[in-house]
Amino acid sequence: MNIGEAAKTSGVSAKMIRYYEQTGLIPKADRRDSGYRDYSPADVHMLRFIRRARDLGFAVAEINELLSLWRDKSRQSADVKRIAQAHIAQLRERIDSLEQMAATLGTLADCCAGDDRPDCPILADLEEPGDGASASGPFTSKTGRLRHRP
Amino acid sequence: MNIGEAAKTSGVSAKMIRYYEQTGLIPKADRRDSGYRDYSPADVHMLRFIRRARDLGFAVAEINELLSLWRDKSRQSADVKRIAQAHIAQLRERIDSLEQMAATLGTLADCCAGDDRPDCPILADLEEPGDGASASGPFTSKTGRLRHRP
DNA sequence: GATGCCCCTTACCATCGTTGGAAGGTCAAG
DNA sequence: CTTGACCTTCCAACGATGGTAAGGGGCATC
């Protein structure tokens, strides 16, 4: 199976398949005489596993952990559960940050007339954060910022 | 005012101030004879504006928009409100994605014995997503992924 | 006036996951 | 044989931030 086919059936782009191979997340694919990578259904299975884990927000490093547990038939489900729960906690933190942001902005927008007058509580708050719906607590400079999604 | 002082009083690191200048988010700072950048209280004010907007999750491109409205005294608060509301909608989308992820994982973890047996519904779902708490709907490959926060 | 310390400058490199492109080889169909 | 779709490798970029290194200035203290 070509990399293109593997990409289509797994949902992981060919670019990313090569990247995952390069970074060691997945083992080096077999090569045909032409140099083309050759994928088995089992490889595609693994790729779909990765894809699914990415969709669930796991970082590649975490997926690495999950993959070794997946490959290890004698794995303990407790290990997997631990990783999953740690990830859930991470997700909750980010959700909280985002909700704080949205709440702050929502309050400001509600106070905003939204007409053609230059008075704007949103800009005013950006200038000098108010107390009411302040978002300057839990997330300072490093937390709650989202990755740019292309 | 030195860049260090400006950084301290604005909450934006010196590094980022230079970066913002380089990328055109803020105008080039005045220079003293020594070559040091020189910042006025107004500049610091602007930096705090930026900082606050970053804390609220605005991307730099959005902050650019906000900054021009901020500088434009005849701005219409409707414009600001529009930007803010679009941003809120973005935040809500991401929150939804994250909540779906957390819910899916939570369900799986609840079903997981968490003992030393190899049977693990979490891994099973990663292999072949189930229907119950599937998270394969709204967020496919590009949505809901978080930026890595160092 | 010299010494030490901190700050400043520019200029790279790394991160993380992903996408894009260029330059060239392979394969299957016409 | 040609064409076009595929594959290969390599290199670069994104966005925001941190780090580091080398070289020089500013200021307080001796």
Side-chain angles (χ1 to χ4, degrees):
Chain A
M1 202 185 229
N2 275 348
I3 196 174
E5 255 179 300
K8 239 173 268 173
T9 46
S10 71
V12 180
S13 75
K15 275 286 214 228
M16 291 314 298
I17 296 178
R18 295 194 195 97
Y19 171 75
Y20 290 149
E21 176 180 322
Q22 192 193 329
T23 57
L25 179 65
I26 59 179
K28 296 199 175 180
D30 290 338
R31 299 296 185 123
R32 282 184 288 200
D33 292 347
S34 60
Y36 283 21
R37 287 174 180 82
D38 199 17
Y39 294 94
S40 69
D43 294 329
V44 174
H45 200 188
M46 178 177 56
L47 288 171
R48 248 181 309 174
F49 180 101
I50 293 171
R51 172 80 200 297
R52 170 76 171 155
R54 294 291 296 134
D55 282 351
L56 284 174
F58 285 98
V60 170
E62 292 170 310
I63 295 180
N64 226 326
E65 265 188 285
L66 290 172
L67 271 179
S68 24
L69 291 172
W70 187 45
R71 286 190 269 247
D72 177 11
K73 301 228 165 171
S74 71
R75 80 245 170 170
Q76 308 194 340
S77 69
D79 293 335
V80 183
K81 188 169 188 173
R82 181 181 39 76
I83 295 176
Q85 282 177 331
H87 185 55
I88 291 173
Q90 275 181 30
L91 291 172
R92 293 251 170 268
E93 265 185 53
R94 296 173 199 184
I95 288 171
D96 286 350
S97 287
L98 293 177
E99 273 175 353
Q100 285 271 345
M101 293 181 204
T104 301
L105 277 173
T107 303
L108 293 173
D110 285 349
C111 297
C112 182
D115 55 14
D116 56 4
R117 280 173 302 156
D119 300 318
C120 180
I122 298 171
L123 288 181
D125 181 273
L126 287 173
E127 279 190 73
E128 204 65 57
D131 293 332
S134 174
S136 55
F139 40 98
T140 57
S141 76
K142 294 192 195 305
T143 50
R145 218 105 81 216
L146 292 174
R147 137 163 215 272
H148 177 252
R149 289 130 331 122
Chain B
M1 200 184 230
N2 274 348
I3 197 174
E5 255 179 299
K8 238 173 271 176
T9 46
S10 71
V12 179
S13 75
K15 210 77 168 151
M16 292 314 298
I17 296 177
R18 295 195 195 98
Y19 172 74
Y20 290 151
E21 177 180 321
Q22 194 192 327
T23 56
L25 179 66
I26 59 178
K28 298 199 176 179
D30 291 339
R31 299 293 186 126
R32 281 185 289 197
D33 293 346
S34 60
Y36 284 20
R37 287 174 180 79
D38 199 16
Y39 295 93
S40 69
D43 294 328
V44 174
H45 201 184
M46 179 177 55
L47 288 171
R48 247 180 308 172
F49 180 101
I50 293 171
R51 172 79 200 294
R52 170 75 171 155
R54 293 292 295 132
D55 282 351
L56 284 173
F58 285 97
V60 170
E62 293 171 310
I63 296 180
N64 226 326
E65 262 188 288
L66 290 171
L67 271 178
S68 25
L69 290 171
W70 187 46
R71 284 191 270 248
D72 177 9
K73 303 228 166 171
S74 71
R75 81 248 168 170
Q76 307 196 340
S77 70
D79 292 334
V80 183
K81 188 168 187 175
R82 180 181 41 76
I83 295 175
Q85 283 178 330
H87 185 56
I88 291 173
Q90 273 181 32
L91 291 173
R92 294 251 169 268
E93 264 184 54
R94 294 172 201 184
I95 290 171
D96 286 349
S97 287
L98 294 177
E99 273 175 353
Q100 285 271 346
M101 293 181 205
T104 301
L105 278 172
T107 302
L108 294 173
D110 285 349
C111 298
C112 182
D115 55 16
D116 54 4
R117 280 174 300 160
D119 300 317
C120 181
I122 298 171
L123 288 182
D125 182 273
L126 286 173
E127 278 190 72
E128 206 62 57
D131 295 333
S134 174
S136 56
F139 41 97
T140 55
S141 77
K142 295 191 193 306
T143 49
R145 219 103 81 216
L146 293 172
R147 139 168 213 268
H148 176 253
R149 287 128 333 122

